[in-house]
């Protein structure tokens, strides 16, 4: 059931900037997974295109409807709490090239990975802490997304 | 069988944990000089046999995190465990606090439950 959609990638529109997505410019690009180059689904260009597709992009195991990993599920649940249901989710279990490519791109070893406005913000642990300390509401606001939790508070006040 | 071998070799009984747990502890100690460190083998909760040592959770309290955003703190932890993450360490939960943060809230949330992962 693997979606082998390799054709049709058009490279060139957005040049992948080194240093994007939290990767320090001073850090040498020591990692070279087999996924890089050529325009496969794990190449920098392909990943760059995916992270810019939508204000909220998640790379996970499984899907929002059916997460296949507790950490990925936690990300889905947190977004749901904030009323964020419209986002791009990519199942890395369906695409090994993407699975390696996304790790190379962000220089981050694990899945899930959350991107807000094209920038890598972290995995499940970081998203949970952002949720707990109120940062996530603020970050969503910057994207023009009003967190459902703000409305929940308002309802409380009305009572 | 592998679990039994690891248990025998690494002394999984007692606080030290298996060989990977000890490596993780040693590397994090060397890299971050934590004032408090907890290393938890979550592998049994992810379907592995006892002593599988594939999924870990670490709680690191260190002054090195002062002034650093969460992303950078986690990157420091990953850097210390780069070899392990490229190898047997399949998943790593990270809590990274400054001593002040830990003092005001000395608790860590539990790991999310496993939902099967790539075994499906």
């Amino acid at each position: 059931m693997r979606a082998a959609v390799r054709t049709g990638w058009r490279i060139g529109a957005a040049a992948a900037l080194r240093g994007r997505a939290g990767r320090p410019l001073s850090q040498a690009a020591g990692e070279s997974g087999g996924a890089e180059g050529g325009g496969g689904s794990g190449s920098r260009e392909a990943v760059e295109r995916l992270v810019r597709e939508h204000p909220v992009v998640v790379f996970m195991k499984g899907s929002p409807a059916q997460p296949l990993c507790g950490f990925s599920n936690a990300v889905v649940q947190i977004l749901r709490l904030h009323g964020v249901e419209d986002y791009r989710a990519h199942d890395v279990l369906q695409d090994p090239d993407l699975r390696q490519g996304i790790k190379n791109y962000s220089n981050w070893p694990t899945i899930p990975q959350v991107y807000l406005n094209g920038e890598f913000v972290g995995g499940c642990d970081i998203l949970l802490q952002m949720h707990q300390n109120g940062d996530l509401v603020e970050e969503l606001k910057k994207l023009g997304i009003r967190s459902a939790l703000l409305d929940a508070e308002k309802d409380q006040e009305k009572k | 069988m592998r679990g039994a071998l690891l248990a025998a070799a690494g002394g999984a009984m007692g606080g030290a944990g298996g060989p990977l747990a000890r490596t993780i502890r040693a590397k994090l100690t060397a890299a971050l000089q934590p004032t408090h460190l907890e290393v938890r083998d979550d592998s049994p909760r992810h379907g592995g046999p006892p002593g599988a040592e594939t999924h870990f959770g670490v709680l690191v309290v260190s002054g090195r995190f002062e002034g650093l955003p969460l992303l950078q703190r986690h990157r420091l932890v990953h850097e210390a465990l780069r070899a392990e993450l490229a190898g047997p360490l399949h998943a790593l939960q990270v809590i990274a606090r400054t001593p002040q943060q830990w003092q005001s809230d000395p608790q860590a949330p539990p790991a999310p439950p496993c939902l099967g992962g790539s075994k499906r």
Side-chain angles (χ1 to χ4, degrees):
Chain A
M1 233 207 311
R2 192 169 127 194
V5 183
R6 305 272 183 102
T7 59
W9 286 113
R10 274 184 284 164
I11 307 163
L17 294 167
R18 289 268 159 198
R20 201 72 174 101
R23 188 175 183 154
L25 287 164
S26 58
Q27 196 170 329
E31 296 180 62
S32 54
E36 294 241 11
S41 54
S43 69
R44 284 201 80 80
E45 291 80 7
V47 172
E48 180 86 22
R49 191 170 143 155
L50 290 181
V51 305
R52 289 175 185 275
E53 241 181 359
H54 193 276
V56 182
V57 181
V58 174
F59 297 84
M60 60 181 291
K61 294 182 178 180
S63 67
Q66 192 179 21
L68 293 180
C69 155
F71 304 119
S72 289
N73 182 49
V75 167
V76 169
Q77 295 308 323
I78 290 169
L79 291 175
R80 186 164 291 154
L81 277 176
H82 288 263
V84 182
E85 300 274 9
D86 173 31
Y87 57 95
R88 293 289 175 274
H90 298 281
D91 181 359
V92 302
L93 296 179
Q94 300 287 330
D95 189 340
D97 279 354
L98 179 61
R99 185 175 180 173
Q100 187 55 49
I102 194 66
K103 293 176 185 177
N104 293 347
Y105 181 85
S106 56
N107 193 24
W108 187 265
T110 50
I111 303 293
Q113 297 192 10
V114 179
Y115 291 75
L116 298 182
N117 218 27
E119 285 215 20
F120 178 56
V121 299
C124 152
D125 297 329
I126 289 179
L127 199 72
L128 179 61
Q129 290 179 73
M130 288 173 67
H131 162 66
Q132 289 171 334
N133 67 18
D135 282 353
L136 186 53
V137 171
E138 288 307 310
E139 290 303 313
L140 290 173
K141 190 188 279 186
K142 289 181 197 170
L143 303 176
I145 299 172
R146 182 181 167 80
S147 168
L149 294 183
L150 292 172
D151 296 325
E153 283 171 19
K154 272 202 163 173
D155 288 341
Q156 287 292 326
E157 284 163 27
K158 277 184 200 159
K159 289 179 195 169
Chain B
M1 189 185 293
R2 180 165 166 264
L5 284 173
L6 281 173
M13 39 188 188
L20 184 51
R22 288 200 296 275
T23 300
I24 290 173
R25 180 171 288 274
K27 288 199 173 179
L28 290 178
T29 300
L32 298 170
Q33 296 90 48
T35 56
H36 182 79
L37 175 63
E38 292 178 25
V39 176
R40 190 187 67 227
D41 183 353
D42 286 331
S43 313
R45 301 179 62 237
H46 291 266
E53 295 206 302
T54 53
H55 294 61
F56 276 85
V58 297
L59 188 150
V60 188
V61 181
S62 167
R64 293 280 311 275
F65 296 142
E66 208 78 53
L68 293 183
L70 286 178
L71 198 60
Q72 298 315 319
R73 298 185 189 189
H74 286 219
R75 285 195 188 283
L76 281 179
V77 173
H78 292 163
E79 194 53 47
L81 301 176
R82 183 176 271 268
E84 289 67 34
L85 283 162
L89 188 52
H90 180 79
L92 182 66
Q93 190 199 6
V94 176
I95 312 279
R97 303 237 176 103
T98 63
Q100 193 176 21
Q101 286 176 323
W102 178 244
Q103 212 164 15
S104 51
D105 181 23
Q107 313 189 74
C114 177
L115 293 179
S118 46
K119 294 184 199 68
R120 291 202 194 176

